[in-house]
Amino acid sequence: MATKYYIPFYDLDGNACQIDFGFADYIGDPIQLEGGANPLTISYNGTPDDLFQQIITSKASIVINYHEQFLNDTRDIDDKDVSVNIQYGNNLKWVGFLIADLRAETFDQTGYEVELTCGEPCSYLKGLQRDFLQETDIYGFVSLDTLIRELF
């Protein structure tokens, strides 16, 4: 997916970070969005008791200032239609998808902020109908290719 929108920002230590939103059919220069006062929060949905849990999911909450074109482009999407890549310096730190139904908009005196929620690919495995598990090898294992195809 090609980056259509991006949000550059700095963390509290002054390190450069960037959030990229990818769209499948986009061709053109990326459009810069303005992040909110606290543009990014990544949370992990696990506890120390989950050490042996197969899937510990995470999510990213991204706050942007109002941008009409972005909101129109993401209004009628499905999950996994818009990829989200979070870079810290030159390193890719988090990969996921914009969750279509989870958007909160805040109206106040300082501006119009929109909070977006993003889920990482493994979170889509929880509760998934495992029809793809029929594609096992002679030992009963699912191939990495099949698993990746299901996630993305």
Side-chain angles (χ1 to χ4, degrees):
M1 291 190 184
T3 299
K4 183 170 184 177
Y5 298 99
Y6 70 100
I7 303 169
F9 66 98
Y10 291 91
D11 70 3
L12 295 175
D13 295 327
N15 299 308
C17 303
Q18 184 166 307
I19 303 168
D20 295 328
F21 297 93
F23 288 72
D25 297 330
Y26 182 68
I27 298 172
D29 293 329
I31 301 165
Q32 183 174 335
L33 300 175
E34 184 180 334
N38 185 13
L40 175 66
T41 303
I42 297 176
S43 56
Y44 295 90
N45 304 321
T47 66
D49 298 332
D50 294 335
L51 287 177
F52 299 104
Q53 186 91 358
Q54 294 88 348
I55 301 172
I56 299 176
T57 61
S58 65
K59 71 175 183 176
S61 295
I62 299 169
V63 178
I64 65 168
N65 290 331
Y66 175 80
H67 191 277
E68 185 174 2
Q69 183 180 350
F70 178 83
L71 294 177
N72 288 336
D73 285 349
T74 58
R75 181 158 288 130
D76 296 321
I77 61 168
D78 291 323
D79 290 348
K80 298 197 231 180
D81 278 357
V82 177
S83 67
V84 178
N85 296 326
I86 298 172
Q87 299 174 41
Y88 184 76
N90 291 326
N91 299 315
L92 185 61
K93 289 294 186 182
W94 193 90
V95 175
F97 298 101
L98 189 60
I99 299 175
D101 298 335
L102 299 178
R103 179 161 67 187
E105 301 175 7
T106 305
F107 301 94
D108 64 15
Q109 307 297 14
T110 61
Y112 181 176
E113 289 190 340
V114 179
E115 183 176 354
L116 310 166
T117 301
C118 308
E120 44 82 28
C122 287
S123 64
Y124 290 96
L125 288 176
K126 281 193 168 185
L128 182 70
Q129 296 298 324
R130 289 167 174 78
D131 297 333
F132 70 94
L133 291 179
Q134 304 302 321
E135 301 178 36
T136 58
D137 63 14
I138 60 171
Y139 303 106
F141 292 105
V142 175
S143 72
L144 182 59
D145 178 55
T146 301
L147 186 59
I148 289 172
R149 195 174 57 240
E150 187 63 31
L151 289 175
F152 295 98

